[in-house]
């Protein structure tokens, strides 16, 4: 008997009708396999909860924030389990603390470090279908934590790891990973197989199909991921380690992705000496601001230089405050450009291909 992990994203469980469809998909695997289901919240719910927290405070308590925004998953899992029960099948919802799923790291950006298998294994043995909340875990203080937006992908991959699953299928609203965004370009093609490194780049550089850190988890633990649509029964994309590309033997580029929410920051006239970049970036990293591209010009007089870098546009205000408050650096001018888009061309073949 195989162990199969099925993960459903927000749109796949976005309405009661969709949840009924998902019930059928789960049952189609149940006949011959041990099935563990992970669900995200119904689409839009997590955003609504975040909005509510902001209406209370821009500085909402971290632990309460995670306790709040992880509730959508509880509702979705109970609905799926209830639907399976309705059709006469043994199923129940499992909150992260009931499994339990342990995490490390700060609130709203934690990573799973251990999943206890005993309770779920007993339940599986009794013939039940566990429906586990994605996106959440508990920390050492037994408080609820969340795994970053899109984090139920990471839950599925770590469940696949700890349960030594034979398959991990991510059900979403697109039928796989495309060479570029099919809504922006009609010629986009579905990729049948993609390597972890390329998928990691696609995901970090704008393709919204999977949470980037979850792809990293999959790579580190060698978990094959199948991305499929819960709307159409079609073959999807397999994310896996190195493979011989029979399809396109001389393929250099795998995909093109883009982001619209980047911002560029230039600090003009900083001292041109070793260690300056660290003085600038350290406080940003402590505040969980992700710096993407960095350009530092050669200084004509070896005294001063300009440093330009990009961040997510939602981090601009925070970044400005941190740099202005940084007593350890001096500069002439600080400027921001929020109207920035980034286009990335991705393919491991480029490493060995001049031009
Ligand atoms: N519901 C969470 C979010 O919207 C987690 C997920 O969708 O994977 O980010
Ligand atoms: Mg998602």
């Amino acid at each position: 008997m195989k162990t199969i992990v099925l993960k459903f994203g927000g749109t796949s469980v976005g309405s009661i009708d969709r949840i009924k469809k998902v019930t059928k998909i789960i049952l189609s695997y149940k006949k011959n396999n041990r099935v563990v289901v992970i669900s995200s919240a119904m689409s839009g719910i997590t955003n609504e909860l975040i909005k509510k927290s902001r209406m209370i405070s821009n500085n909402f308590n971290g632990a309460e924030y995670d306790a709040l925004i992880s509730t959508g998953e509880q509702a979705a899992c109970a609905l799926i389990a209830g639907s399976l029960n309705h059709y006469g099948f043994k199923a129940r919802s499992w909150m992260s603390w009931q499994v339990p799923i342990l995490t490390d790291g700060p609130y709203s950006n934690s990573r799973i470090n251990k999943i206890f298998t005993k309770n779920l294994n007993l339940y599986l043995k009794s013939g039940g279908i566990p429906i586990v909340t994605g996106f959440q875990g508990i920390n050492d203080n037994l408080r609820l934590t969340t795994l970053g937006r899109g984090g139920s992908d990471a839950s599925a991959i770590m469940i696949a790891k700890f349960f030594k699953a034979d398959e991990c299928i991510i059900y979403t609203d697109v039928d796989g990973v495309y060479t570029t965004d099919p809504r922006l370009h009609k010629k986009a093609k579905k990729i049948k197989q993609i390597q972890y490194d390329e998928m990691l780049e696609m995901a970090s550089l704008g393709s919204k199909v999977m949470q980037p850190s979850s792809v990293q988890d999959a790579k580190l633990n060698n978990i094959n991921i199948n991305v499929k649509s819960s709307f159409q029964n079609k073959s999807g994309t397999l994310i896996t380690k190195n493979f011989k590309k029979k399809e396109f033997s001389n393929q250099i580029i795998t995909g093109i992705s883009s982001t619209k929410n980047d911002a560029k920051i230039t600090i003009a006239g900083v001292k041109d000496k070793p260690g300056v970049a660290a003085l600038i970036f350290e406080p940003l990293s402590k505040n969980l601001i992700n710096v993407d591209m960095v350009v530092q010009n050669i200084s004509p007089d070896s005294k001063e230089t300009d440093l330009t870098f990009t961040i997510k546009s939602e981090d601009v205000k925070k970044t400005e405050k941190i740099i202005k408050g940084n007593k350890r650096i001096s500069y002439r001018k600080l400027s921001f450009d929020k109207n920035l888009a980034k286009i990335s061309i991705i393919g491991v073949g480029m490493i060995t291909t001049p031009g």
Side-chain angles (χ1 to χ4, degrees):
M1 220 185 211
K2 279 185 173 178
T3 302
I4 299 189
V5 172
L6 304 176
K7 181 254 162 174
F8 296 97
T11 40
S12 296
V13 294
S15 67
I16 296 305
D17 241 23
R18 296 297 323 157
I19 286 178
K20 288 180 180 167
K21 296 250 160 60
V22 159
T23 310
K24 288 201 181 120
I25 295 177
I26 296 170
L27 291 175
S28 73
Y29 287 95
K30 169 65 188 156
K31 284 169 205 137
N32 310 308
N33 307 292
R34 291 179 353 136
V35 178
V36 183
V37 175
I38 316 292
S39 185
S40 173
M42 295 171 87
S43 55
I45 297 290
T46 314
N47 285 345
E48 264 174 44
L49 293 164
I50 291 173
K51 246 191 230 157
K52 284 184 179 136
S53 78
R54 296 225 172 99
M55 286 160 75
I56 302 262
S57 165
N58 274 330
N59 201 10
F60 203 87
N61 176 281
E64 295 310 337
Y65 183 81
D66 281 11
L68 172 71
I69 70 168
S70 60
T71 56
E73 273 68 15
Q74 172 164 341
C77 287
L79 286 167
I80 298 170
S83 172
L84 284 160
N85 295 158
H86 174 78
Y87 290 108
F89 291 87
K90 181 169 174 176
R92 65 157 272 199
S93 59
W94 288 83
M95 306 305 115
S96 55
W97 57 270
Q98 294 169 325
V99 176
I101 298 175
L102 309 189
T103 63
D104 260 343
Y107 288 111
S108 75
N109 209 7
S110 287
R111 298 279 286 251
I112 294 173
N113 61 26
K114 184 158 176 60
I115 299 178
F116 284 86
T117 52
K118 196 177 149 210
N119 293 338
L120 279 191
N121 270 333
L122 278 174
Y123 186 67
L124 283 162
K125 232 183 211 157
S126 75
I129 310 171
I131 319 292
V132 183
T133 48
F135 187 47
Q136 52 161 275
I138 49 170
N139 63 15
D140 288 346
N141 301 323
L142 302 182
R143 301 290 316 250
L144 279 163
T145 55
T146 60
L147 310 174
R149 295 309 304 272
S152 50
D153 290 333
S155 309
I157 282 150
M158 295 310 268
I159 288 268
K161 174 193 164 163
F162 282 95
F163 285 83
K164 300 191 173 64
D166 300 279
E167 269 187 73
C168 178
I169 307 173
I170 304 281
Y171 275 101
T172 175
D173 52 354
V174 290
D175 63 344
V177 181
Y178 276 73
T179 49
T180 193
D181 187 341
R183 283 161 301 189
L184 299 177
H185 207 300
K186 283 204 189 80
K187 282 189 182 160
K189 284 189 202 149
K190 185 159 64 187
I191 303 171
K192 286 187 190 155
Q193 281 194 33
I194 185 168
Q195 305 184 21
Y196 293 121
D197 287 329
E198 290 175 328
M199 188 60 214
L200 191 53
E201 297 237 324
M202 295 277 278
S204 349
L205 297 169
S207 157
K208 296 203 177 65
V209 181
M210 281 198 68
Q211 188 201 32
S213 53
S214 74
V215 181
Q216 203 180 22
D217 287 335
K219 181 187 168 177
L220 291 172
N221 298 296
N222 230 327
I223 312 276
N224 287 345
I225 310 165
N226 228 313
V227 178
K228 277 179 121 173
S229 162
S230 67
F231 291 73
Q232 300 158 292
N233 191 6
K234 272 193 191 170
S235 67
T237 297
L238 180 70
I239 308 169
T240 182
K241 67 176 175 192
N242 287 353
F243 58 89
K244 287 256 179 311
K245 283 180 181 154
K246 281 190 217 106
E247 245 180 288
F248 322 91
S249 55
N250 53 358
Q251 175 188 290
I252 300 164
I253 291 164
T254 303
I256 302 177
S257 60
S258 62
T259 55
K260 283 184 180 168
N261 58 336
D262 291 86
K264 184 177 78 177
I265 290 155
T266 300
I267 314 181
V270 288
K271 284 220 174 72
D272 187 21
K273 62 169 195 205
V276 169
L279 291 179
I280 295 169
F281 293 135
E282 229 167 43
L284 297 182
S285 94
K286 279 201 184 116
N287 284 280
L288 300 179
I289 293 166
N290 219 348
V291 173
D292 181 20
M293 305 169 78
V294 181
V295 177
Q296 184 174 346
N297 280 328
I298 271 188
S299 69
D301 58 2
S302 333
K303 281 181 189 145
E304 280 188 349
T305 181
D306 301 340
L307 187 84
T308 298
F309 58 93
T310 64
I311 52 170
K312 288 283 154 241
S313 38
E314 69 253 24
D315 289 333
V316 164
K317 270 196 193 135
K318 219 165 137 191
T319 303
E320 186 173 5
K321 207 172 141 196
I322 292 167
I323 293 174
K324 285 188 171 156
N326 189 341
K327 298 261 155 31
R328 300 169 74 193
I329 53 168
S330 61
Y331 53 87
R332 246 183 305 109
K333 193 174 166 228
L334 183 65
S335 49
F336 293 88
D337 181 356
K338 286 185 212 167
N339 289 319
L340 208 69
K342 184 175 69 182
I343 296 173
S344 309
I345 302 174
I346 293 141
V348 289
M350 280 193 281
I351 299 168
T352 48
T353 309

